Amino acid sequence: MSYSQTKLVLNQLVADLSALAVHVHQVHWYMRGPNFLKLHPLMDKYMDELNDQLDVVSERLITLDGSPYASLKEFADHTTMADEPGEWGVATPERLRGLATAYSRLADTYQRGIDVSGDEHDDVSQDIFIGFKGDIEKKIWMLKAELNEAPGIDPS
């Protein structure tokens, strides 16, 4: 079986995980204000987690005889993540809301992966998608909790 739709989603994730890692880096560098000492090192952890997911997703794509995007141009051309320049003066809650939105978009892509890999009977990819979607949903919940907001996770 070619797993063509699964490979498309895996490559979409390569682009989106790469772009989100840059976004998290931006938050890390431009963050100021209350909770800085707690949140600044947390962004390091978020970057490590995204890089770990990127490695697993890319290697799965290669295992399925796919070719992961591997250039800045490819990431930029194919990501669904918003691209915003870094700037000073953005309040930390606004930065965290932006991360929650980006992670929600990533969760949607993982859900699409769950659906197509199920249709294509690719249990291994589906397992990867399910595990990472659960991790992302927990992260959304935690970001929203930091903002004293409801998680807003759609269980579908």
Side-chain angles (χ1 to χ4, degrees):
M1 186 170 266
S2 72
Y3 303 119
S4 60
Q5 294 303 303
T6 299
K7 290 193 285 189
L8 287 173
V9 174
L10 286 164
N11 229 356
Q12 181 65 59
L13 285 164
V14 169
D16 289 346
L17 287 162
S18 298
L20 184 52
V22 170
H23 184 127
V24 172
H25 234 127
Q26 184 184 99
V27 170
H28 178 76
W29 288 332
Y30 284 83
M31 182 182 293
R32 298 288 183 271
N35 292 319
F36 174 84
L37 291 175
K38 174 181 78 171
L39 294 172
H40 188 75
L42 182 63
M43 294 304 112
D44 285 325
K45 180 179 175 193
Y46 283 13
M47 286 183 283
D48 290 344
E49 291 169 353
L50 289 168
N51 286 327
D52 289 345
Q53 287 184 26
L54 177 60
D55 193 51
V56 170
V57 165
S58 297
E59 289 175 355
R60 180 63 186 161
L61 180 56
I62 292 166
T63 300
L64 297 177
D65 200 29
S67 300
Y69 301 131
S71 72
L72 295 175
K73 181 168 180 14
E74 287 175 311
F75 301 152
D77 287 349
H78 296 283
T79 188
T80 64
M81 297 291 164
D83 183 30
E84 297 179 26
E87 60 183 290
W88 301 108
V90 177
T92 298
E94 187 176 337
R95 291 188 191 284
L96 296 181
R97 275 187 201 90
L99 284 179
T101 298
Y103 275 108
S104 292
R105 185 171 291 122
L106 193 61
D108 291 344
T109 305
Y110 276 122
Q111 182 60 54
R112 194 165 59 256
I114 292 166
D115 296 340
V116 300
S117 60
D119 292 344
E120 294 181 337
H121 307 289
D122 178 359
D123 298 341
V124 174
S125 294
Q126 190 175 53
D127 186 57
I128 291 168
F129 294 141
I130 290 169
F132 285 151
K133 183 179 183 218
D135 294 343
I136 296 301
E137 287 180 347
K138 183 176 180 181
K139 187 156 316 312
I140 295 165
W141 161 64
M142 291 182 163
L143 285 164
K144 295 287 188 147
E146 176 68 22
L147 295 165
N148 197 27
E149 299 173 3
I153 294 171
D154 180 10
S156 60

